[in-house]
Amino acid sequence: MDIKEKFKTFIDKKTNKSVKQPSTSPAYLAASESWTAADFDNHLAVVGHQKRKTSLFEEVPLSAEAQDVVIDTIEPIYFETDHPDVGSHELQKFPDITDIHVINGIRSRLRKQQAIVSRRVSDLIISKQTACMGEMIKIDKLQKEACLAVALCVESRKDLSVGKGQFTSASLQVIANHLKRQRILEVMNNLKTIKTLQMTDIQLQKLLRAEAYPSAIQLLLECQTAASTFKHFSCISDLSAKLQETLEMAEEQLDNAVGRVVVNFNANTYAKLHSAYALLNKRQALMDQLHMHLTSHIHNSAFSIVMGYVELYSSVTQLNSSNLANASLSNSVSCVNNSVNCDKAPQSSFCKMQYSELCKFVDHECFLACYVDLGKSMFGILRNYKAISRWHHKAAGEDSPEVAKFILSESSPRSSPTKSLPSDDGSVDERSYVEQKLVHGLYRIWQDVQAKLRTFILASDLSHFKFDDFLLVLDITSRLMLIGEDFCGSKSEALQDSIKKQSMGFFHREHAARLEELHMFLENEAWQIVPLKPTFTVYQLLEYRFLKKKDALLERSFMSTTPSKKNDALWSLEATASPFDLTSEESSTEEDILAPDEGSGKSDEDTDDDERSTVLDGENGLIQDKGLAESAKKIQAFSTLPVASNTCLAILRLVGKYLLMMKLLQPIAADVFVCTTQLIHYYLYTICTTFGLSGGVSNKLSVVLRNIEKTIIMEDTHHLAQPATAADYSISVTDIGSKTAKVYRAKASPIISDVPACSCEGVAARLVACESLLLLCRELSDLRHSVLPNLLPPSAAQNCDAFFADLEDVLPEVVPAVYSCVGASVVPQEQLVQQMSAVSWSINRLESQHNGYVDQIVRLMQGFSSVLQNVKSTQPLPVSAEEHLWRTTVEQLHTALLHGYAAAKASSNEGRSLMQLDYQQLTSKLEPLCGLRPLPGRSLVEGYIKAFYLPESALRDWLLEHRTEYNTRHLVALVSVMSHIPKHARNSIVATLESRE
């Protein structure tokens, strides 16, 4: 309800109710100002005193803090600036029971708030009065200045009107004539420009023929700019279309020039092309076209090279077949013409083939030459791309001075800056695009080259290649992989995989053929020495030149100290040679390993056996004859020469080829090394079975020989019935990996098997066999530390160490086994035992003369010494070999002496003294002759003879101590002839010895 209705309701209320009168004290009135409608809910209205004194309503002064509190109680609606209806707002807050005193209290509160706000506003106005006065002064000053400006304008307008009145019509006519003249000159210039545009085509063709591409593009852009200026002329509008066609034609010629640069890079030409594309603002298009031409050129070059060899071989084959089919000259000429005509059909069919199909028609005879040409062609493409990349890097490093200089020199004042030079905003993006394109292009181009080479390799069957030719293929592939690694850091996995597949197939067949070839070598080996120089090493063989000879172009480039020198050496365009030019030069190198023939055997042919017997003095071994002294010097010089057989050299050469294959093809290096060990094992096995089995071998050597038989020796069941061929030795991939490649056992040549072991030929053959084996193992041991670690993968290092450890362990057993048959042949054991058995050892008196078998032994030893002297005069006899020969012979002699002394049925003390006399006489002659002190086995024989004098207790101790040095038969025979020991004691000792056996 409104305020009137509220007042009416208040008057009509009954007044008979008693109401408690409110307090009229000032405190009560002050508190009533803060009453609200809620204070009167459910209560009677307070009736104010009708006659309040005016003093009660006088304002009480408040402090600043109290004023702030009152201002804070003001509702936000009173501070709004959009003229709110505060009256309605206050009426809505009235309580339902209306009391005039409440209304007065609320009104008093609102008045007090208004008074405080008004006072506060007044204070603020007073505080800002000084600033207000200052602003008013400024306003007055601005008014005065505005008045002055208006006066100045009025004065200026008056002056302008005076000047306007003073101009005449003559002056305006002069100005009009001048403007007309300028317009005429402009028309004439336009006509000249139109005439120049009409002759642009002729000048443009001249520039393009002269390869002045930037000038041509600059001229076109200027003409287009001029044509756009005069496009309102009808002739110029037709010319604009013609200029656009000319521009497209120029871009085609630029594209053709890019294709030529890819084939033969020229820095000046490429700089012009780059400038031209920069003027066209198409540097990115240049990169795209460049890579497109590179990809196309890789395919076209590979196809054309392979196509050339296929057509060449096809035409030669048809020409040969036509010549063979026709006997007469006229018929042959006509057939040649027919064959030439017939060549068109296959050549046309070849052109339609895919590259992968075409590669299958490459004959194996021209495969290597085609592969070399492919490598040269691909390397030329890579070299050109490297040169382009270097040009861009150099231009980027120097902020493209050549391009900028050329563009600035060709630009003219009339050219449009938006057409001549690319904007700065896009230059950074274009440069980053070019750099990324060049970097990514490295790997992409190498992948294309690698794909062509891989297809070419896998399309042919290389398993029937010669070993040297296949090594050349591996060498070329290795150089290609090195080039790829330097070109883009690629490991050339595809190329490695392709050559690995071909290598596995080739090496399986080749290794089987080499084993068969080695088998044939050993069966026909005469075991004669090959005269080598004293300074011989495997590095002098052609097969090992790759270990020390550096490729003049590749190695120099890859071993350079700085990357810049490396790139200059390999990728320099000025270099006339490629990494593939040295392939044919290596095969022309000659090796110098043979010692000169000085006729060293002449003195031996001119001397007889009597003269040789006087060479050595029996007492001091000094040279007595002057002529023989010279012969002794030659013999001493001979002893320093290395000893090798033909088969040993063949194995060394084959090992060198295997090592080269390991170097060129790392993925199968472990398998190749296993095959290399098979060559060494087969040679060792053949020497032992040919020369060593008759003399007996040690247990350790027997185990090794049995292992070799299980791994590489084939059953000799039908070997004699039908000779094996190389096809019989074909083995699979698993065969190589599991080390099961096998070959037949080599049988000794009749030249060797029919010769006595103690003859000059027999001793020389065994000497050559043993020393060549030692030489082979020595050279391999040198390679073990210097070469093999770089060729073998880490997983094969353990197998390599195990092989050389076993080899070093068994070699000391091989030499005695081979030379022991010589000693067995020199000393006829059965005959010597029979002679000694015929001697009566049960004598009763001391003898001063030795028995006859001693002289027989001395003669045998002297004969053996003369044999060694003859061998020395014809071939080198190392001191260690001579010592081994004498040692094994003397050991065989002492074994025969033990058998002979043990064969005695009875013996007396005098007979035992005679044994000592015989043995002392023998040793006195034998020690100067063989040069061994003490003689090997001397302690055994002397101990055996002297043990006869031992009493029973000492004898038992002696038998226990030496039971491993003598066999049971010897000990039983010794005890049986000891008559000074009781018979029952002898029987007990004999029974003990036999039971231990």
Side-chain angles (χ1 to χ4, degrees):
M1 63 183 65
D2 54 2
I3 190 63
K4 292 180 180 181
E5 291 176 348
K6 286 184 180 182
F7 279 117
K8 184 178 180 180
T9 303
F10 179 78
I11 295 170
D12 293 338
K13 282 184 179 180
K14 295 179 179 181
T15 60
N16 55 356
K17 294 181 182 180
S18 59
V19 182
K20 185 179 179 180
Q21 296 298 327
S23 176
T24 57
S25 64
Y28 172 79
L29 293 176
S32 65
E33 293 178 357
S34 62
W35 292 343
T36 62
D39 297 332
F40 302 99
D41 290 344
N42 300 324
H43 294 84
L44 294 176
V46 179
V47 181
H49 196 274
Q50 297 296 331
K51 295 180 180 180
R52 293 187 180 94
K53 294 181 179 180
T54 57
S55 61
L56 294 176
F57 297 96
E58 291 179 358
E59 294 183 0
V60 180
L62 298 177
S63 63
E65 289 81 2
Q67 291 178 8
D68 293 336
V69 172
V70 173
I71 291 175
D72 292 339
T73 60
I74 298 175
E75 296 183 13
I77 192 172
Y78 290 99
F79 297 102
E80 294 180 2
T81 59
D82 53 351
H83 306 287
D85 188 3
V86 294
S88 300
H89 174 72
E90 289 296 334
L91 290 176
Q92 289 176 2
K93 295 192 301 181
F94 277 13
D96 294 336
I97 301 175
T98 308
D99 189 356
I100 190 62
H101 299 290
V102 175
I103 295 172
N104 289 331
I106 294 173
R107 185 181 62 176
S108 177
R109 176 172 54 85
L110 291 174
R111 284 179 175 179
K112 179 170 283 194
Q113 290 177 351
Q114 182 183 10
I116 292 173
V117 170
S118 299
R119 189 182 298 113
R120 183 64 61 88
V121 172
S122 176
D123 293 341
L124 291 174
I125 291 174
I126 293 172
S127 63
K128 299 294 182 179
Q129 187 175 5
T130 305
C132 181
M133 293 301 294
E135 293 297 328
M136 292 301 295
I137 294 173
K138 292 180 181 178
I139 291 173
D140 292 339
K141 185 178 180 180
L142 288 175
Q143 287 180 349
K144 292 178 181 180
E145 291 178 355
C147 293
L148 292 176
V150 171
L152 181 61
C153 290
V154 171
E155 186 71 21
S156 299
R157 289 189 178 189
K158 290 180 180 179
D159 295 338
L160 285 174
S161 61
V162 173
K164 182 178 179 181
Q166 292 177 358
F167 276 106
T168 61
S169 59
S171 300
L172 295 176
Q173 187 65 31
V174 172
I175 295 174
N177 291 337
H178 180 74
L179 291 175
K180 185 177 181 180
R181 181 180 179 185
Q182 293 295 330
R183 289 174 182 174
I184 293 173
L185 291 175
E186 184 177 356
V187 170
M188 293 180 64
N189 291 332
N190 292 338
L191 292 175
K192 290 181 180 179
T193 303
I194 293 172
K195 183 178 179 180
T196 304
L197 290 176
Q198 295 291 342
M199 302 181 63
T200 299
D201 192 23
I202 300 174
Q203 182 66 21
L204 183 64
Q205 294 298 331
K206 291 181 180 179
L207 292 175
L208 290 176
R209 284 195 296 270
E211 294 185 351
Y213 304 113
S215 300
I217 298 300
Q218 182 71 23
L219 178 61
L220 272 173
L221 294 177
E222 291 176 357
C223 290
Q224 283 186 338
T225 304
S228 63
T229 304
F230 303 105
K231 62 183 179 180
H232 51 280
F233 296 108
S234 59
C235 61
I236 297 301
S237 60
D238 297 335
L239 182 62
S240 298
K242 185 178 180 181
L243 286 175
Q244 185 62 31
E245 295 177 357
T246 306
L247 180 61
E248 293 176 357
M249 180 194 67
E251 289 182 359
E252 291 181 1
Q253 294 195 17
L254 289 178
D255 184 64
N256 296 332
V258 172
R260 292 193 297 271
V261 168
V262 168
V263 179
N264 186 14
F265 178 78
N266 184 278
N268 295 330
T269 303
Y270 188 76
K272 294 177 182 179
L273 287 172
H274 190 272
S275 302
Y277 276 98
L279 290 171
L280 292 172
N281 200 16
K282 292 185 177 181
R283 291 180 181 176
Q284 297 182 4
L286 171 61
M287 285 293 101
D288 296 337
Q289 292 296 108
L290 181 68
H291 286 83
M292 184 189 69
H293 281 291
L294 281 168
T295 303
S296 176
H297 183 56
I298 289 172
H299 173 75
N300 294 336
S301 297
F303 189 87
S304 61
I305 291 173
V306 176
M307 182 72 177
Y309 278 94
V310 170
E311 290 180 348
L312 176 64
Y313 180 78
S314 176
S315 61
V316 171
T317 303
Q318 292 185 10
L319 183 62
N320 292 336
S321 61
S322 63
N323 288 336
L324 292 175
N326 299 277
S328 64
L329 180 61
S330 60
N331 291 337
S332 65
V333 171
S334 63
C335 289
V336 167
N337 294 331
N338 293 333
S339 65
V340 172
N341 295 329
C342 293
D343 284 345
K344 297 179 181 179
Q347 288 178 6
S348 60
S349 62
F350 289 148
C351 294
K352 297 178 181 179
M353 289 183 179
Q354 295 291 332
Y355 175 75
S356 57
E357 294 294 329
L358 184 65
C359 291
K360 297 179 180 178
F361 289 90
V362 178
D363 189 74
H364 68 277
E365 294 181 358
C366 57
F367 177 87
L368 187 59
C370 184
Y371 193 31
V372 172
D373 287 347
L374 265 180
K376 290 181 179 180
S377 177
M378 297 299 106
F379 177 72
I381 296 173
L382 299 179
R383 179 186 287 178
N384 286 332
Y385 188 81
K386 272 288 187 180
I388 294 172
S389 180
R390 284 203 309 269
W391 188 93
H392 277 280
H393 291 164
K394 182 179 179 181
E398 298 176 0
D399 199 16
S400 192
E402 299 176 1
V403 178
K405 179 180 178 181
F406 188 84
I407 293 176
L408 292 176
S409 64
E410 295 294 329
S411 300
S412 61
R414 65 180 180 274
S415 62
S416 175
T418 59
K419 293 291 185 179
S420 61
L421 287 173
S423 62
D424 295 337
D425 297 335
S427 60
V428 177
D429 294 337
E430 287 185 353
R431 182 176 300 175
S432 62
Y433 177 84
V434 169
E435 291 178 356
Q436 292 178 2
K437 195 75 175 178
L438 289 172
V439 173
H440 295 164
L442 289 171
Y443 186 77
R444 176 187 170 187
I445 291 172
W446 175 244
Q447 287 299 105
D448 293 341
V449 171
Q450 194 177 185
K452 296 300 179 184
L453 296 173
R454 181 179 184 273
T455 303
F456 179 76
I457 292 173
L458 293 179
S460 301
D461 182 14
L462 306 183
S463 60
H464 300 287
F465 264 45
K466 296 180 181 180
F467 198 91
D468 293 337
D469 292 342
F470 190 80
L471 287 181
L472 288 178
V473 173
L474 289 182
D475 185 32
I476 295 171
T477 307
S478 176
R479 297 183 184 197
L480 285 169
M481 288 189 290
L482 287 175
I483 290 172
E485 184 175 1
D486 184 73
F487 183 73
C488 62
S490 172
K491 297 299 181 182
S492 306
E493 291 82 2
L495 201 57
Q496 286 188 16
D497 180 66
S498 62
I499 200 64
K500 180 182 178 181
K501 291 179 181 178
Q502 291 284 18
S503 299
M504 293 299 290
F506 169 82
F507 190 72
H508 297 157
R509 186 200 64 82
E510 184 65 24
H511 180 60
R514 296 288 75 78
L515 282 176
E516 173 60 18
E517 181 181 309
L518 184 58
H519 172 265
M520 181 188 67
F521 266 63
L522 290 172
E523 285 196 339
N524 296 277
E525 178 63 66
W527 299 106
Q528 294 180 356
I529 188 172
V530 177
L532 300 176
K533 288 186 175 182
T535 58
F536 169 77
T537 61
V538 291
Y539 298 102
Q540 297 173 353
L541 298 175
L542 289 178
E543 290 75 8
Y544 293 85
R545 292 288 174 89
F546 73 95
L547 296 177
K548 64 177 183 178
K549 184 176 182 179
K550 306 298 182 183
D551 193 300
L553 184 61
L554 276 178
E555 296 295 338
R556 184 171 61 251
S557 63
F558 288 113
M559 297 301 291
S560 298
T561 56
T562 60
S564 59
K565 292 182 179 179
K566 172 180 174 181
N567 292 334
D568 292 341
L570 181 62
W571 304 106
S572 176
L573 292 174
E574 288 75 14
T576 58
S578 72
F580 309 99
D581 293 337
L582 301 178
T583 305
S584 59
E585 298 177 1
E586 296 177 357
S587 58
S588 62
T589 308
E590 296 182 359
E591 60 184 13
D592 184 17
I593 60 173
L594 300 179
D597 187 10
E598 298 179 356
S600 57
K602 181 178 179 180
S603 60
D604 299 322
E605 297 175 359
D606 295 339
T607 57
D608 52 16
D609 294 338
D610 295 338
E611 290 175 343
R612 290 195 189 95
S613 62
T614 60
V615 172
L616 296 176
D617 192 325
E619 298 296 333
N620 51 26
L622 298 177
I623 304 298
Q624 295 179 350
D625 187 82
K626 182 178 179 180
L628 295 179
E630 296 179 357
S631 178
K633 291 181 181 180
K634 292 182 179 180
I635 292 174
Q636 185 177 2
F638 259 149
S639 62
T640 60
L641 296 179
V643 179
S645 63
N646 285 320
T647 306
C648 174
L649 280 180
I651 293 177
L652 283 175
R653 295 182 187 277
L654 194 56
V655 169
K657 294 179 179 179
Y658 281 22
L659 292 179
L660 180 56
M661 179 169 282
M662 292 165 61
K663 175 179 180 267
L664 298 177
L665 200 62
Q666 288 291 324
I668 64 170
D671 295 334
V672 177
F673 178 74
V674 171
C675 296
T676 305
T677 61
Q678 291 177 357
L679 301 176
I680 311 304
H681 283 156
Y682 188 48
Y683 190 59
L684 184 148
Y685 177 83
T686 303
I687 291 176
C688 291
T689 54
T690 302
F691 300 112
L693 295 181
S694 60
V697 296
S698 63
N699 295 332
K700 186 186 299 184
L701 183 58
S702 299
V703 172
V704 173
L705 295 179
R706 283 196 298 270
N707 291 334
I708 294 175
E709 286 181 354
K710 292 179 182 179
T711 48
I712 64 173
I713 303 301
M714 193 182 298
E715 292 291 337
D716 202 7
T717 55
H718 59 279
H719 178 52
L720 297 177
Q722 184 178 1
T725 62
D728 298 332
Y729 297 92
S730 62
I731 50 183
S732 63
V733 179
T734 56
D735 290 334
I736 286 290
S738 58
K739 309 176 185 179
T740 57
K742 293 189 175 183
V743 67
Y744 288 115
R745 174 178 174 177
K747 300 183 181 299
S749 172
I751 301 175
I752 300 302
S753 58
D754 296 342
V755 173
C758 60
S759 63
C760 291
E761 293 80 5
V763 173
R766 285 156 179 81
L767 172 68
V768 172
C770 283
E771 293 301 317
S772 63
L773 178 62
L774 294 175
L775 174 66
L776 177 62
C777 296
R778 242 186 348 260
E779 296 296 334
L780 289 179
S781 297
D782 294 340
L783 296 174
R784 172 190 179 185
H785 301 289
S786 59
V787 176
L788 290 178
N790 299 325
L791 302 181
L792 287 175
S795 58
Q798 185 176 0
N799 294 335
C800 177
D801 295 338
F803 166 72
F804 281 102
D806 295 340
L807 194 63
E808 293 174 358
D809 197 27
V810 78
L811 273 182
E813 307 291 336
V814 175
V815 175
V818 174
Y819 289 154
S820 60
C821 60
V822 177
S825 179
V826 172
V827 180
Q829 197 172 107
E830 294 181 0
Q831 180 183 355
L832 184 58
V833 170
Q834 290 178 1
Q835 290 181 359
M836 296 176 67
S837 300
V839 178
S840 176
W841 304 107
S842 57
I843 57 177
N844 297 325
R845 58 186 179 84
L846 295 174
E847 296 290 342
S848 60
Q849 183 64 30
H850 58 271
N851 288 302
Y853 73 87
V854 175
D855 297 330
Q856 177 67 21
I857 293 174
V858 171
R859 284 194 295 272
L860 291 174
M861 296 297 106
Q862 289 176 348
F864 181 63
S865 177
S866 63
V867 168
L868 295 182
Q869 291 297 324
N870 289 335
V871 172
K872 283 184 181 180
S873 62
T874 56
Q875 68 181 39
L877 179 59
V879 177
S880 59
E882 183 179 6
E883 182 180 345
H884 274 297
L885 285 168
W886 274 115
R887 186 174 296 278
T888 54
T889 303
V890 173
E891 287 176 352
Q892 292 287 339
L893 174 61
H894 282 93
T895 301
L897 290 176
L898 284 175
H899 288 325
Y901 292 145
K905 302 299 182 182
S907 178
S908 60
N909 292 334
E910 291 80 3
R912 220 62 180 178
S913 298
L914 181 59
M915 284 184 185
Q916 292 184 3
L917 177 63
D918 292 344
Y919 187 70
Q920 289 177 359
Q921 184 66 23
L922 178 62
T923 55
S924 64
K925 297 292 183 64
L926 191 57
E927 284 182 350
L929 192 62
C930 67
L932 298 178
R933 289 184 177 85
L935 296 175
R938 178 174 181 175
S939 59
L940 293 178
V941 176
E942 289 180 343
Y944 187 80
I945 295 174
K946 293 178 181 179
F948 176 81
Y949 301 104
L950 296 175
E952 179 182 352
S953 59
L955 177 63
R956 290 179 182 274
D957 296 336
W958 186 86
L959 292 174
L960 289 174
E961 182 180 355
H962 298 84
R963 66 180 181 273
T964 58
E965 300 175 2
Y966 305 92
N967 57 40
T968 303
R969 186 173 65 85
H970 294 163
L971 297 178
V972 169
L974 173 62
V975 175
S976 299
V977 298
M978 298 177 71
S979 57
H980 59 279
I981 297 177
K983 184 176 182 180
H984 65 87
R986 294 201 303 270
N987 293 336
S988 175
I989 295 173
V990 169
T992 303
L993 293 173
E994 291 176 350
S995 64
R996 289 179 180 176
E997 184 181 6

